[in-house]
């Protein structure tokens, strides 16, 4: 979608630290990391947010989780633990309206989050 920053990252129009790319999903390091490992896993197709997911997105959403857990292992946080987060809407602080799964790890993550 034109104007979408994550579409531009997926399409290579703006630079990012990409750590995974396949036909369905792209993953890259968050520009404002909140933990030693902070990666965003996004669908290559534009989906506005978790509240827009429907049955037709089953394959790509499954792929997002599989990539995230594989990256957790390759980042070395699989055993110590990590958090997978979708922010939805203003109270959760969603700031980019292209579906993205945050993978956070490498430090203790407080619960509930602030
Ligand atoms: P959210 O608040 O859940 O919408 O998360 C959006 C995330 O995207 C934030 O953690 C930002 O730091 C991150 N972000 C925004 N622009 C970029 C970018 N160009 N490259 C990497 N991460 C970005």
């Amino acid at each position: 979608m034109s104007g979408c920053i994550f579409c531009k990252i997926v399409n290579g129009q703006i630079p990012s630290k990409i750590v995974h790319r396949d036909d369905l999903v792209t993953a890259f390091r968050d520009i404002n990391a909140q933990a030693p490992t902070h990666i965003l896993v996004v669908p290559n197709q534009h989906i506005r947010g978790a509240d827009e997911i429907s049955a037709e997105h089953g394959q790509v959403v499954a792929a997002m989780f599989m990539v995230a857990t594989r990256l957790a292992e390759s980042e070395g946080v699989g055993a110590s633990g990590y958090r997978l987060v979708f922010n939805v809407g203003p109270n959760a602080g969603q700031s980019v309206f292209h579906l993205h799964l945050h993978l956070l790890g490498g430090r203790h993550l407080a619960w509930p989050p602030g």
Side-chain angles (χ1 to χ4, degrees), residues 4 20 37 48 62 78 89 106:
C4 169
H20 175 89
T37 291
R48 202 174 164 277

Side-chain angles (χ1 to χ4, degrees), residues 5-98:
I5 190 165
F6 287 179
C7 284
K8 289 180 178 170
I9 288 175
V10 167
N11 295 334
Q13 291 172 262
I14 63 169
S16 67
K17 293 184 178 167
I18 290 183
V19 293
H20 175 89
R21 186 198 291 281
D22 63 36
D23 287 349
L24 293 174
V25 165
T26 300
F28 51 91
R29 296 198 188 277
D30 196 294
I31 204 167
N32 183 23
Q34 301 300 311
T37 291
H38 189 173
I39 290 170
L40 302 174
V41 183
V42 311
N44 294 344
Q45 70 182 109
H46 186 82
I47 301 169
R48 202 174 164 277
D51 50 347
E52 294 276 310
I53 293 170
S54 61
E56 72 191 73
H57 301 126
Q59 189 186 8
V60 69
V61 172
M64 291 172 69
F65 280 98
M66 289 188 287
V67 166
T69 54
R70 219 177 301 139
L71 285 170
E73 292 298 329
S74 63
E75 290 282 312
V77 301
S80 54
Y82 53 91
R83 185 164 291 157
L84 300 175
V85 178
F86 289 106
N87 290 322
V88 183
N91 274 357
Q94 184 180 3
S95 60
V96 176
F97 291 85
H98 179 127

